[in-house]
Amino acid sequence: ARSVSPWIHTLDSEPNKLKFRAHWTPPLAIDPFDRYQEISEFVQDLHRPNPSFQTQRMQPLIDRNPVAFWKSVSLALLLAVIILVGISAFK
């Protein structure tokens, strides 16, 4: 069972007399059973990552939908041109 207390813990004054909320407990309690038992396990996962920890990445927009990618690039370039023309017109 995890015990995460949202209340202020301090040894030098009462919680209601503190000016700043600097002595809060961390919002998450790390489960000791999720930790590595040996440092060698940690080092091995650094050199050869465990597949269960690797997340699948989403394909880039240019691979998923090239038309939408080039439309967004064209829109960004059009906006840049409009801004630059607007800046040069007021000089």
Side-chain angles (χ1 to χ4, degrees):
R2 293 181 178 182
S3 174
V4 179
S5 174
W7 308 109
I8 298 174
H9 294 279
T10 181
L11 300 174
D12 53 349
S13 65
E14 295 179 26
N16 59 354
K17 294 182 181 177
L18 288 176
K19 184 175 181 181
F20 301 108
R21 299 184 302 180
H23 298 289
W24 286 82
T25 56
L28 299 175
I30 299 173
D31 188 6
F33 297 108
D34 288 340
R35 297 180 186 160
Y36 291 98
Q37 296 297 318
E38 298 291 329
I39 190 70
S40 59
E41 296 173 3
F42 176 68
V43 171
Q44 181 176 355
D45 271 352
L46 286 177
H47 291 294
R48 291 179 213 90
N50 190 344
S52 64
F53 293 130
Q54 292 179 342
T55 59
Q56 291 184 349
R57 294 186 180 179
M58 200 168 29
Q59 280 185 320
L61 180 61
I62 193 166
D63 292 336
R64 285 182 287 145
N65 192 347
V67 174
F69 172 78
W70 288 112
K71 283 183 179 181
S72 60
V73 168
S74 299
L75 178 65
L77 290 173
L78 176 67
L79 291 174
V81 167
I82 290 172
I83 290 171
L84 290 174
V85 167
I87 289 173
S88 65
F90 289 112
K91 285 187 176 183

